[in-house]
Amino acid sequence: MTVQDVLSQFNEIFIDVLDDEDIKLNLETTADDVEEWDSLSHIQLIVAIENKYDIRFTASEMESYRNVGEMCNGILNKLAAKV
Amino acid sequence: MLFNSLEFFLFLPIVFLLYWFIVNRNLKLQNTFVLAASYFFYGWWDWRFLSLIFLSTISDFILGILIGKTDDQKIQKRYLYLSFVVNLGILIFFKYFNFFIEEFSRLSEAIGLNANYSTLSIILPIGISFYTFQTLSYTIDVYKKQLAPTNDFISFAAFVSFFPQLVAGPVERASTLLPQFLKKRQFDYTKSVEGCQQILWGFFKKIVIADNCALFVNDIFGYYEYGEVSGLILLIGAVLFVIQIYADFSGYSDIAIGVAKLFGFQLMQNFNFPYHATSTTEIWRKWHISISSWFRDYLNKPLFFYFRHWGNYGLIIPLILTFTIIGFWHGANWTFIVYGLIHGIVMSIELFSKKTRKKIRKKIPKWLNSSMGWLITMFIWVFTCIIFRAENMTLAVNYIAAIFDNLFVLDMTQVTSRIIFQSLLITLTKGKVLFLLILFMFVIEWIYRKYTYGFKLNFKIPFLNWVFYYSILLLIILFGEFSQQEFIYFQF
């Protein structure tokens, strides 16, 4: 799986959780760029992502991600570690 | 000393002049002077409680360094917990000890034990809920590696006790305020002008709006229990209290932020026009931002994270818990707990009705949607503020019941007529004007709602600015209530 694959899967999760068809993520997207992305929906996104890839984040990992790209890479690293 | 006191009127210009003309040579001198001025400012109330600020300061200063010295996360966590114990220990002992003892005795009696625990006579040290939280934010930020621990004790002590925001906030984050103490401040004319505008506007809101509203509010809340007061008057009392508490606390915040600007510091925005909000969730993003965001980052987020796999409960539990604690933060009284609890419940409802509300929003005109949202939000806010203001839950419930029982009944018992007479008397001389002044405040703040404070004049012709400054000053002199009433939030 590449970063682009994760990104497009992310996009679907975001559209679903935030209930907004118009979301178009890129690697530099941050919470400031998406209207509905607040601290609460952030948790809902995390849960959706954790369930989708069957992984778990720690609280400090969550705080270290500054944008969507870093999150995608974080997931790839976790998936690689699992195999 | 109070911002609206003669002492502060002398204190501020003296400190300002010494700061920029005498101790301006180097950073160390600047910070030492800020520290001395802050301790003097606080000591004016009660110098004994300076020892508590000092205890909180020194313990977090040392714990910060200790956390920075080790890489072992377990040990770092232990130091973090120690900081919680010290700061929350001070807070709980001085603010909540008697409350817990009383409730515990009542509980013991209820289950048949003959308990006779005595309470202590503890005076609540002013500002304790504010500076303990600010100090705590330092240790948490250091623990989270968002901030390097400082070795400069003077700067750190000045950061904890910085007089403009020491007694009632804005509660600053160490990662934004402390670095400002580590750089020498240069005088900035534009910022200082902004600071003065904000101070002037803050005094207008406090002395003219809040303190005049207080005359009515205190009467109505003080007398209703003795007689049948018309529900309409009770409702007016509640609405006036809602205006009072906003003008009082946002006015205080404007003065605090403005004074800090005069000394070259930028504090965070504490109010973002909360009464323009169209949902309770939005009001809490705009009301007392420094504390609501403190609890969001340091309590609500970790709780959300912890409960994240609990489905819907994982959203409700953290929300209700956080807001109940925010309520309790205000004081050791069931009224505050209930106030917070209701807001937590309302926000949970708003959360789960999000999709339904979105559908409705698409079907009806925008203005209808926002005015309906505003009305519902304000309705809830007014009634929860009655609970906030009342001395205890019984009185709060009675007050609310009385509004609905006899909304349009005018029973002229003695007390009632006295209140109405008094109100009328004030109405004739001041009430009509007060109504216009309140209107004036909200109109001005509506015009400047895109800015960080409600009075950011920027006319092209400087003369017009001065016309406004003098008008506000004149309004303060003509209609101000100069009895030096304390700010509501100083008791928290």
Side-chain angles (χ1 to χ4, degrees):
Chain A
M1 210 163 22
T2 66
V3 175
Q4 285 305 323
D5 296 336
V6 180
L7 185 65
S8 68
Q9 290 168 349
F10 256 43
N11 213 67
E12 282 171 34
I13 294 175
F14 271 64
I15 287 173
D16 187 40
V17 172
L18 302 182
D19 192 28
D20 184 353
E21 295 286 338
D22 303 328
I23 293 176
K24 283 221 161 47
L25 298 179
N26 60 54
L27 294 177
E28 271 82 49
T29 309
T30 67
D32 297 335
D33 306 322
V34 184
E35 201 200 322
E36 301 274 333
W37 190 357
D38 55 25
S39 61
L40 208 147
S41 53
H42 184 69
I43 298 293
Q44 292 171 303
L45 287 167
I46 297 300
V47 172
I49 291 164
E50 284 184 332
N51 290 341
K52 167 129 184 128
Y53 299 98
D54 194 23
I55 48 174
R56 289 286 178 271
F57 293 106
T58 66
S60 53
E61 276 170 348
M62 269 341 300
E63 298 215 346
S64 66
Y65 302 138
R66 302 260 166 259
N67 57 34
V68 170
E70 288 183 17
M71 232 152 107
C72 290
N73 282 318
I75 286 169
L76 284 174
N77 289 340
K78 276 189 176 285
L79 289 175
K82 253 172 79 173
V83 182
Chain B
M1 59 189 86
L2 295 171
F3 284 160
N4 52 340
S5 68
L6 186 64
E7 297 95 272
F8 190 72
F9 211 67
L10 297 171
F11 173 84
L12 183 63
I14 293 172
V15 172
F16 178 82
L17 291 175
L18 288 174
Y19 182 78
W20 290 117
F21 289 103
I22 308 295
V23 300
N24 199 25
R25 260 169 305 160
N26 62 54
L27 177 68
K28 195 161 184 152
L29 219 53
Q30 269 187 336
N31 285 343
T32 313
F33 180 69
V34 169
L35 179 63
S38 299
Y39 271 55
F40 179 82
F41 174 84
Y42 189 88
W44 197 263
W45 268 292
D46 199 328
W47 56 270
R48 291 169 304 170
F49 292 134
L50 282 171
S51 55
L52 287 179
I53 298 182
F54 189 73
L55 177 68
S56 175
T57 307
I58 191 125
S59 61
D60 283 80
F61 177 71
I62 294 170
L63 288 169
I65 291 174
L66 287 175
I67 289 176
K69 270 196 177 151
T70 170
D71 284 327
D72 188 339
Q73 272 222 319
K74 265 191 193 156
I75 298 176
Q76 288 180 331
K77 204 169 229 172
R78 239 175 264 166
Y79 291 138
L80 177 68
Y81 288 156
L82 194 57
S83 167
F84 277 106
V85 170
V86 172
N87 285 297
L88 297 182
I90 294 175
L91 184 62
I92 289 169
F93 178 76
F94 281 92
K95 193 165 173 175
Y96 299 102
F97 184 77
N98 283 345
F99 177 78
F100 285 127
I101 292 287
E102 278 165 21
E103 291 307 313
F104 190 69
S105 315
R106 225 191 290 185
L107 190 73
S108 313
E109 268 167 43
I111 56 170
L113 293 173
N114 191 7
N116 194 9
Y117 306 104
S118 52
T119 53
L120 302 172
S121 58
I122 302 171
I123 316 165
L124 182 68
I126 200 158
I128 189 164
S129 313
F130 293 89
Y131 67 76
T132 47
F133 275 65
Q134 181 159 318
T135 328
L136 214 46
S137 92
Y138 167 75
T139 318
I140 300 175
D141 285 355
V142 168
Y143 173 79
K144 285 174 148 185
K145 304 205 169 41
Q146 285 170 353
L147 183 75
T150 176
N151 292 315
D152 182 346
F153 182 72
I154 299 288
S155 304
F156 182 71
F159 149 76
V160 174
S161 63
F162 189 38
F163 72 88
Q165 44 95 245
L166 171 62
V167 288
V171 177
E172 288 292 323
R173 299 302 168 73
S175 39
T176 53
L177 184 57
L178 187 56
Q180 297 185 49
F181 274 97
L182 304 176
K183 284 201 301 269
K184 187 166 176 282
R185 273 80 60 187
Q186 304 291 346
F187 185 76
D188 182 333
Y189 178 74
T190 324
K191 284 267 172 240
S192 303
V193 170
E194 280 184 21
C196 290
Q197 286 181 340
Q198 210 166 347
I199 293 170
L200 183 65
W201 188 240
F203 273 119
F204 171 77
K205 284 199 274 188
K206 167 64 180 166
I207 298 176
V208 178
I209 306 294
D211 288 353
N212 276 311
C213 285
L215 297 178
F216 288 85
V217 173
N218 294 344
D219 265 2
I220 297 173
F221 272 83
Y223 285 128
Y224 85 93
E225 50 185 306
Y226 303 114
E228 300 253 300
V229 181
S230 154
L232 198 60
I233 288 185
L234 293 179
L235 189 61
I236 292 172
V239 171
L240 281 175
F241 175 64
V242 162
I243 295 166
Q244 183 203 344
I245 193 172
Y246 169 69
D248 191 278
F249 195 26
S250 76
Y252 159 81
S253 300
D254 277 334
I255 299 170
I257 296 166
V259 170
K261 274 182 189 160
L262 289 182
F263 291 85
F265 289 90
Q266 184 65 47
L267 302 182
M268 73 184 289
Q269 189 183 3
N270 214 15
F271 286 86
N272 186 13
F273 312 109
Y275 291 173
H276 301 170
T278 54
S279 72
T280 300
T281 313
E282 195 189 346
I283 239 185
W284 276 104
R285 280 195 200 121
K286 294 165 172 276
W287 176 273
H288 201 181
I289 300 167
S290 65
I291 266 296
S292 57
S293 69
W294 198 103
F295 278 102
R296 186 195 62 213
D297 290 347
Y298 298 132
L299 180 68
N300 197 29
K301 272 189 189 173
L303 283 175
F304 271 140
F305 193 78
Y306 183 80
F307 287 110
R308 70 192 185 284
H309 290 290
W310 287 42
N312 286 344
Y313 292 112
L315 298 170
I316 297 173
I317 296 170
L319 258 182
I320 291 184
L321 213 57
T322 304
F323 277 90
T324 308
I325 292 173
I326 290 185
F328 197 43
W329 170 88
H330 289 90
N333 193 326
W334 283 100
T335 51
F336 296 121
I337 297 178
V338 173
Y339 163 83
L341 180 69
I342 294 176
H343 282 279
I345 293 171
V346 170
M347 269 182 273
S348 306
I349 296 170
E350 285 184 353
L351 181 66
F352 288 105
S353 61
K354 216 172 175 178
K355 287 194 175 164
T356 324
R357 283 186 294 135
K358 206 169 178 178
K359 273 182 205 150
I360 298 174
R361 199 159 60 213
K362 280 179 186 157
K363 283 186 189 137
I364 59 173
K366 205 180 161 196
W367 65 267
L368 185 63
N369 183 59
S370 29
S371 40
M372 254 168 41
W374 183 80
L375 275 175
I376 297 168
T377 307
M378 276 301 145
F379 183 83
I380 295 165
W381 187 255
V382 168
F383 281 93
T384 46
C385 278
I386 294 174
I387 301 171
F388 188 96
R389 172 64 172 74
E391 307 262 314
N392 58 52
M393 270 317 288
T394 319
L395 290 176
V397 173
N398 288 348
Y399 193 106
I400 292 169
I403 290 181
F404 291 108
D405 273 355
N406 45 9
L407 188 54
F408 299 108
V409 180
L410 226 66
D411 188 348
M412 295 296 269
T413 60
Q414 213 183 358
V415 181
T416 317
S417 42
R418 188 168 149 203
I419 290 179
I420 295 168
F421 177 72
Q422 266 184 345
S423 300
L424 269 178
L425 201 70
I426 308 172
T427 306
L428 288 175
T429 52
K430 268 188 163 178
K432 236 187 307 179
V433 188
L434 178 60
F435 174 75
L436 290 173
L437 289 168
I438 291 170
L439 199 66
F440 172 75
M441 173 183 82
F442 282 122
V443 168
I444 294 284
E445 295 216 324
W446 178 260
I447 294 170
Y448 292 101
R449 68 188 179 282
K450 296 274 181 257
Y451 297 95
T452 52
Y453 59 95
F455 191 62
K456 200 179 186 320
L457 295 189
N458 44 7
F459 287 108
K460 290 260 167 6
I461 313 158
F463 176 71
L464 279 177
N465 287 336
W466 285 99
V467 170
F468 264 89
Y469 297 154
Y470 278 109
S471 310
I472 298 289
L473 210 56
L474 198 67
L475 288 177
I476 293 176
I477 294 166
L478 285 178
F479 303 111
E481 174 47 46
F482 290 97
S483 52
Q484 286 192 19
Q485 296 183 42
E486 265 208 10
F487 290 88
I488 296 175
Y489 269 69
F490 279 25
Q491 58 184 308
F492 299 145

